[in-house]
Amino acid sequence: MKCKSSVNLIPKHKKGLWSPDEDEKLRDYILNHGLGCWSSVPINAGLQRNGKSCRLRWTNYLRPGLKRGMFTAHEEQIILTLHSTLGNKWSQMSRHLPGRSDNEIKNHWHSYLKKKVVKSDASNEDSSSVSSLKSVTSSPESSPHMDSLSTAGKIQPKILFVDWISPAIDNSDELSVSGDVDVIYPPWSSQGTTKKEGSRVSNLNLSNEVDMESDLNDLIYTYLNINDVNMYNWDDLYSASTTPSQSSSRSL
DNA sequence: AAGACGGTCAACCGCATTAGT
DNA sequence: GACTAATGCGGTTGACCGTCT
């Protein structure tokens, strides 16, 4: 945990909005060196920021795979479901919404969803919409997207960031979905760097481990609702995580 | 046209937790 | 076990922008 960095060498830390130049420095540094000690990142990257600020900027804005843009109705439903069971556990929610940062979910909740819920509760306390939401949220495993996922004929995802998979799942090399899925272990992935040495695309044949199924299915269902893959920063992803010949999912 | 107001979002702050010494 | 520093997390702030009056 401790990091032998020369934090004291930093005279003062810049605050406020990030400039494009700063973004580029941070992105270039992480893509080239991977994630290590955040306190040393600004020094090595030539930024007058503290490590905390760099981490936030990376996770909320620069990290490849971030979706950005409007939340879909499905994503909002997931947030409502999770919030009713987890409360204000934004980081836990973000694990169920690949491509969304905890900050993004939190902001969307405070700016929109919270009011929506309040309005809904006030207008129809005994309405079916409220009761249906509560019935959905009584058990995380019984969420509507989980139910519909079990139906046949769904398109399978072709590619997943390892960061989108919970650490619990990633403890095994075998993942519990049917078919082939490309799991990407990019150099910035804390989960992937040690196990896969980064910069690899692993084409995994997935097995049927029941105890892992629900979490991964949840994740995949979310993925299936992504309509426009171009909203992802695929260029950054592939340039950093693969060599051109390895991009088996390039056709996505 | 311009000021007020409200909504959104990026970023900061402070506390809690984790992990090394 | 105590101390210390790094990191994670949630709450809050402030800048910006669009709409309203």
Side-chain angles (χ1 to χ4, degrees), chain A residues 91-177:
Chain A
S91 64
Q92 287 183 39
M93 288 188 213
S94 68
R95 292 175 198 139
H96 292 262
L97 291 164
R100 300 291 188 185
S101 70
D102 54 354
N103 206 34
E104 203 175 4
I105 294 168
K106 180 173 61 180
N107 281 333
H108 190 62
W109 171 263
H110 283 127
S111 64
Y112 180 67
L113 290 178
K114 188 165 70 176
K115 295 164 193 169
K116 191 177 173 182
V117 169
V118 168
K119 193 176 284 184
S120 169
D121 285 346
S123 61
N124 47 17
E125 280 186 324
D126 57 348
S127 73
S128 59
S129 66
V130 171
S131 60
S132 67
L133 177 61
K134 284 178 178 172
S135 68
V136 157
T137 58
S138 60
S139 166
E141 288 77 22
S142 64
S143 58
H145 51 287
M146 299 302 294
D147 292 342
S148 57
L149 184 71
S150 62
T151 62
K154 286 281 188 181
I155 306 162
Q156 288 292 326
K158 293 177 181 170
I159 188 169
L160 294 171
F161 283 101
V162 69
D163 286 350
W164 291 358
I165 303 170
S166 73
I169 293 168
D170 193 46
N171 283 339
S172 167
D173 281 332
E174 292 184 324
L175 306 174
S176 53
V177 294

Side-chain angles (χ1 to χ4, degrees), chain A residues 24-88:
Chain A
E24 191 178 345
K25 281 181 179 176
L26 180 58
R27 186 191 292 111
D28 286 349
Y29 177 81
I30 293 178
L31 292 180
N32 287 323
H33 298 89
L35 292 180
C37 177
W38 281 112
S39 60
S40 66
V41 165
I43 303 163
N44 297 330
L47 292 164
Q48 289 189 317
R49 300 273 181 171
N50 62 24
K52 216 170 176 178
S53 181
C54 292
R55 182 179 65 84
L56 211 62
R57 185 63 177 171
W58 172 257
T59 54
N60 291 337
Y61 193 81
L62 296 175
R63 176 168 53 102
L66 282 177
K67 219 183 280 185
R68 311 189 64 77
M70 296 282 287
F71 279 75
T72 64
H74 174 72
E75 286 176 317
E76 289 183 348
Q77 179 61 51
I78 292 176
I79 294 171
L80 289 170
T81 300
L82 291 173
H83 189 271
S84 66
T85 56
L86 298 172
N88 296 350

Side-chain angles (χ1 to χ4, degrees), chain A residues 9 30 69 73 131 181 213 231:
Chain A
L9 295 177
I30 293 178
S131 60
V181 176
E213 193 164 5
M231 71 179 72

Side-chain angles (χ1 to χ4, degrees), chain A residues 176-225:
Chain A
S176 53
V177 294
S178 58
D180 294 337
V181 176
D182 286 338
V183 178
I184 296 177
Y185 293 82
W188 58 83
S189 164
S190 58
Q191 296 176 43
T193 48
T194 54
K195 191 187 284 185
K196 299 290 179 181
E197 298 176 352
S199 301
R200 294 289 183 279
V201 170
S202 305
N203 200 347
L204 300 178
N205 247 326
L206 302 165
S207 65
N208 294 318
E209 297 198 8
V210 176
D211 56 339
M212 295 178 179
E213 193 164 5
S214 61
D215 276 352
L216 193 61
N217 282 353
D218 191 4
L219 184 152
I220 289 167
Y221 185 84
T222 303
Y223 188 86
L224 291 178
N225 281 268

